[in-house]
Amino acid sequence: MAHQSATAGYRLGLYEKAMPEIGWKAKLSMARDAGYDFVEISIDASEEKISRVYANPAERRALADLCREQRMPIRTLNASALTKYALGDPDREISGRGLEIALRAVEFADDLGIRLVMIPGYDVYFKPHSEGTEALFLENIRILTDHAAKVGVQ
């Protein structure tokens, strides 16, 4: 049975951080039972959430299987870790880690059937903007979008 939002011409998702810290099975069933069409997964700046993009193939398959079992897909990924690990940060360790997280988020998304990865649209957040931070951000965005295009992730 289609949810009401799907029959109205749009799909309505629930951001996982709007739910209590519970397991994925409970999150997915809670979202489904509340009438949502999908869940949005968070890759925030906590190492716990960042570690998701390093999940091995079996762990990724298990989450994808759980989504099918619960009839509740994860359709979007919010990569808010890139606030802390900004793609335009002049400290190459920080921007490099940001690019690695973003590239892995795209691969993670592809494995789970997620087609939309949300990336913060600013070069730096906690530091001053400059022509250099903007140029580095754009360089890293080009790398990231080329990678995402190859696997069909937006």
Side-chain angles (χ1 to χ4, degrees):
M1 178 169 136
H3 295 296
Q4 187 174 6
S5 59
T7 59
Y10 61 89
R11 302 222 181 269
L12 186 61
L14 180 61
Y15 188 37
E16 77 160 294
K17 290 176 99 176
M19 293 182 271
E21 285 292 324
I22 53 178
W24 273 110
K25 185 174 184 175
K27 284 181 184 182
L28 295 169
S29 66
M30 184 182 293
R32 182 195 64 233
D33 294 347
Y36 288 93
D37 299 299
F38 67 92
V39 170
E40 178 175 300
I41 192 169
S42 171
I43 307 299
D44 67 18
S46 71
E47 289 304 319
E48 174 198 351
K49 298 276 194 311
I50 291 171
S51 72
R52 291 172 168 177
V53 302
Y54 295 92
N56 66 46
E59 293 167 325
R60 293 174 186 207
R61 245 186 332 274
L63 182 54
D65 290 347
L66 188 60
C67 289
R68 281 188 291 280
E69 173 192 306
Q70 294 299 313
R71 299 178 324 278
M72 179 53 55
I74 298 172
R75 292 273 188 245
T76 56
L77 183 152
N78 183 337
S80 61
L82 301 184
T83 299
K84 179 177 179 181
Y85 298 105
L87 295 174
D89 196 300
D91 180 332
R92 294 298 177 126
E93 264 189 52
I94 293 173
S95 56
R97 177 103 196 272
L99 183 58
E100 179 182 332
I101 291 166
L103 291 169
R104 287 181 171 269
V106 166
E107 293 163 5
F108 178 83
D110 182 44
D111 287 348
L112 268 72
I114 298 168
R115 291 290 154 245
L116 180 64
V117 174
M118 293 176 283
I119 303 295
Y122 39 77
D123 51 354
V124 287
Y125 189 78
F126 296 111
K127 295 182 180 175
H129 163 81
S130 71
E131 287 181 14
T133 61
E134 184 175 336
L136 181 56
F137 174 77
L138 292 174
E139 176 186 324
N140 283 333
I141 285 292
R142 282 187 194 97
I143 293 167
L144 181 58
T145 55
D146 286 346
H147 183 65
K150 289 176 185 170
V151 296
V153 172
Q154 298 178 350

